[in-house]
Amino acid sequence: MEMSLVDRWICGAEVALRTLSGGSRAERATPASALADTPSAPSELSVDEKRLSGALMRVNHVGEVCAQALYQAQAVATANVELKAQMARAAREEIDHLAWTEQRLAELGDRPSLLNPLWYGGAFLIGLVAGRLGDRVSLGFVVETERQVEHHLESHLERLPAGDLASRAIVDQMRIDEAQHAVAAQLAGGVELPAPVRGAMRLAAKVMTGTAHYL
């Protein structure tokens, strides 16, 4: 049964509260659980390594907070039932990422960003605008976002301590999932965004990740 606009906004508010309260639950086990040994245990990382891993995983967690906001907003903005379903499927996988990064932050003795409500609100507005510009533009926004996230995660794999196998396993699976989301959005009809828009998105992401590294 198709939900009314009010019902969709209520569901969206519920997702926002769950995302920001730390109550996300993954459907898939964390990739770190597949490790045969525990050289990546926080107790075996140096203080500096733990601090670096915590900062990088906090940035990744912020990315997943924003992903929830973007997908929720774009689902609200479209009248296309198939696109709503596609956004919902991608959002569910992003919930896994959100829960995995939350868990890893706790294991590292670190915390999520203090500015998560701000990140969520800003991302929701951006997703709503993208959705209002039409389905093909909305999908193109997903393609570009996921490509930038994939590149960002690749850089984290280079920066994470070599001994932090748990964080590296999580980031690598996230990278694989994000690449698949980009391909799915492109196949669904996403258009390539203009170069100035892509550049603005990169700049905004740089500001966000730079701030979240510390806050």
Side-chain angles (χ1 to χ4, degrees), residues 22-158:
S24 301
R25 295 292 180 269
E27 293 183 355
R28 294 175 290 172
T30 172
S33 64
L35 297 173
D37 46 31
T38 57
S40 57
S43 61
E44 298 185 15
L45 298 174
S46 70
V47 172
D48 287 343
E49 287 175 332
K50 284 179 63 177
R51 184 179 298 113
L52 175 59
S53 288
L56 294 178
M57 295 308 285
R58 176 165 50 251
V59 170
N60 293 330
H61 181 264
V62 165
E64 298 310 321
V65 168
C66 291
Q68 287 301 306
L70 287 169
Y71 280 121
Q72 291 300 321
Q74 288 173 281
V76 167
T78 183
N80 186 316
V81 176
E82 291 183 0
L83 183 54
K84 285 181 185 293
Q86 181 173 338
M87 295 293 183
R89 287 192 298 272
R92 282 196 296 272
E93 287 193 350
E94 301 287 2
I95 289 175
D96 288 349
H97 300 173
L98 188 68
W100 296 344
T101 51
E102 284 177 2
Q103 179 181 336
R104 188 56 183 161
L105 277 170
E107 292 168 352
L108 291 163
D110 218 313
R111 56 163 177 76
S113 172
L114 300 174
L115 302 178
N116 273 344
L118 175 64
W119 305 134
Y120 189 98
F124 191 91
L125 288 176
I126 292 171
L128 201 59
V129 170
R132 292 301 184 187
L133 293 175
D135 291 345
R136 296 191 69 195
V137 173
S138 183
L139 286 164
F141 186 81
V142 171
V143 173
E144 182 61 26
T145 298
E146 298 291 24
R147 283 175 177 170
Q148 291 190 17
V149 171
E150 182 185 2
H151 178 73
H152 160 82
L153 293 172
E154 287 173 349
S155 72
H156 276 201
L157 287 172
E158 296 175 357

